[in-house]
Amino acid sequence: MNQSPAADKSKIPLKRILGVTTSILFVAGIMIGSGVFKKIAPMAALGLSQGYLIAAWIVAGIITMFGAFVVSGLANLTEESGGIYEYLRISFGNFISFLYGWSAFTIIGSASVAALAFIFSQSVNAVIPLHDPLAGMDDFSIAGFIFPFRSSGVKILSIAVIALLTWLNYRGARNGASLNTILTWLKILGILFLISIGLFFVSPAGNHVGAATAQLPKTALYSAFFGALLSAFWAYDGWADLSFVTGEIKNPKRNVPLAIIIGVGTVTAIYVLANYAYMRTLNLKVLASLGENDIAAAAVAGAILGEKGKMFISSLIMISTLGALNAVIFFYPRLYYRMAQEKSFFKKAADVHPLYRTPYIALLYVMVWSSVLVISGSFDILTDMIIFSGFFFYILIASALIKMKRSGIIKAKVTGYPLVSIVIILFSLALLLNTILRQPKETLIGLGLMLSGIPFYYFFQRKKN
């Protein structure tokens, strides 16, 4: 006996409820997470001058905007959920698109959830010290660089927050969208306040452009600059994720490109101003000396406003990372939902809740795997794996636009085409090569997780056939 459409949860459609303003705030909300507060410290430790560090933020913003133009062109291909997965499927077929979706599940999306939850909990710990129930096992390691029991109190809170936001989004898309709108406005206003006091109410900290790079040979300078870009790109990460929810956006062929371009432009301006304000307040030696668990923005605010400033930044980082975490949890399950519709993922991920109209099983999958990653990796290991994997697929996305334009499938004018695609491809190749040389362990983990999708691909193909 055949099931009725109402009984088959995979046949229940999602609702188009997201307008252009909500979509813009989603782009800004997912991009402004933890990187703008934290990444200037490891960047300062690379030995670059203030000028090169500001250049890294600007170059990262320009490359990100070029990527936004590419995705805006590809948005003409479909109005289905899945975004980049769908663009790659239409352009290159099921195998390439599956590897992207699998990489998103194993690394890009789930590790973003884990890293953002970890930083949120670190911020809570800075205000209310968390007890470490497993402190006695801190030195236990896997492969010498994964310490699952370190910072156990922070990790337990991280998993609890992931579960709470999953439950919120499980109960309706409007819940996640409304929370994002509120938190995004709060964090934009908070960062603008921090920028204002850094630019107008303190004396310059005495940085000297070029001084830090005078002793670096050209090869080391090149490597250090790309290392700075790797950190900056973590702060920009997430701009394309709006495409995953194309199936829930009103007039998506117009609103998806518009929201991504406006969102990326706004965030780029905020990032450049914020990092200039940081370096104007504290010199590079102070920023470089900050520990792994120190927050650069908190040190800056503390130097200006004392303990009240540190409390303000800790609260702002909590709001910011919570908002970005909510957005990532909102977006990525829609990608796995679309993969399951195409029978390229676990079948139950295509189910939509009959009452809440959300891909609730896909949400639960993300919650479980992200919690595993919280336990297994530190913040910087996770974020570097995300950026490496992301840029591997940016090459394919840029190539997809060239292919679709040359074949005549995409007829609409694309800003900057073909230059933007060529720049994305060349830049991504250079960044990938530098990452392989600088961070071979993280690269091997990232590649291993990506390639682990190959047997799963044939497994799902066999089930489909």
Side-chain angles (χ1 to χ4, degrees), residues 67-396:
F69 292 151
V70 169
V71 170
S72 297
L74 292 171
N76 290 281
L77 288 175
T78 180
E79 294 188 355
E80 294 285 351
S81 296
I84 292 172
Y85 166 81
E86 272 293 283
Y87 308 152
L88 292 175
R89 187 182 68 82
I90 294 169
S91 303
F92 299 120
N94 291 329
F95 180 72
I96 295 297
S97 62
F98 175 81
L99 281 185
Y100 172 76
W102 184 257
S103 298
F105 179 67
T106 56
I107 313 171
I108 304 170
S110 300
S112 293
V113 173
L116 287 165
F118 193 82
I119 291 299
F120 170 80
S121 300
Q122 279 185 320
S123 303
V124 173
N125 190 44
V127 178
I128 307 170
L130 300 172
H131 174 62
D132 278 343
L134 303 176
M137 302 178 69
D138 277 359
D139 293 332
F140 175 82
S141 71
I142 300 172
F145 68 101
I146 294 175
F147 296 87
F149 300 114
R150 283 190 181 175
S151 304
S152 57
V154 169
K155 290 179 177 179
I156 290 168
L157 179 59
S158 300
I159 293 170
V161 171
I162 291 170
L164 178 62
L165 290 177
T166 299
W167 174 80
L168 179 76
N169 283 277
Y170 180 107
R171 293 178 60 84
R174 290 190 188 278
N175 292 339
S178 298
L179 179 61
N180 176 77
T181 297
I182 294 167
L183 295 178
T184 300
W185 278 120
L186 286 174
K187 60 187 171 183
I188 288 175
L189 292 173
I191 294 172
L192 290 177
F193 172 72
L194 181 61
I195 291 170
S196 298
I197 60 175
L199 293 181
F200 302 114
F201 295 99
V202 296
S203 299
N207 289 305
H208 299 287
V209 176
T213 59
Q215 298 178 352
L216 288 179
K218 286 186 178 180
T219 303
L221 176 59
Y222 167 85
S223 182
F225 187 71
F226 268 85
L229 285 174
L230 194 65
S231 289
F233 276 120
W234 160 249
Y236 283 100
D237 189 56
W239 57 271
D241 295 354
L242 182 74
S243 66
F244 299 157
V245 296
T246 300
E248 292 162 275
I249 295 175
K250 302 171 185 176
N251 192 8
K253 289 187 178 181
R254 171 186 177 272
N255 290 342
V256 169
L258 192 62
I260 290 175
I261 290 170
I262 293 174
V264 168
T266 302
V267 171
T268 299
I270 289 173
Y271 282 178
V272 172
L273 288 172
N275 283 277
Y276 177 70
Y278 297 161
M279 291 184 286
R280 191 175 185 277
T281 305
L282 296 178
N283 64 47
L284 293 177
K285 287 184 178 180
V286 174
L287 290 170
S289 68
L290 296 176
E292 182 181 352
N293 293 322
D294 293 324
I295 305 296
V300 169
I304 301 170
L305 302 173
E307 287 301 316
K308 290 182 179 179
K310 291 183 179 180
M311 187 66 69
F312 166 73
I313 286 299
S314 295
S315 301
L316 182 57
I317 294 172
M318 286 184 213
I319 292 170
S320 185
T321 51
L322 187 67
L325 176 59
N326 173 68
V328 175
I329 289 173
F330 186 98
F331 287 150
Y332 274 91
R334 272 71 178 174
L335 167 58
Y336 316 135
Y337 155 79
R338 180 59 185 157
M339 290 175 68
Q341 283 187 318
E342 290 293 316
K343 296 181 172 58
S344 293
F345 199 64
F346 303 106
K347 180 180 177 181
K348 295 294 290 182
D351 286 1
V352 174
H353 197 285
L355 177 61
Y356 303 126
R357 294 292 189 93
T358 56
Y360 67 111
I361 299 296
L363 277 160
L364 296 177
Y365 286 165
V366 172
M367 180 186 72
V368 172
W369 179 237
S370 299
S371 298
V372 172
L373 291 180
V374 166
I375 296 168
S376 66
S378 73
F379 173 79
D380 288 314
I381 291 174
L382 291 174
T383 57
D384 289 343
M385 284 166 54
I386 293 165
I387 299 305
F388 174 84
S389 305
F391 271 91
F392 177 81
F393 288 103
Y394 287 163
I395 294 172
L396 294 176

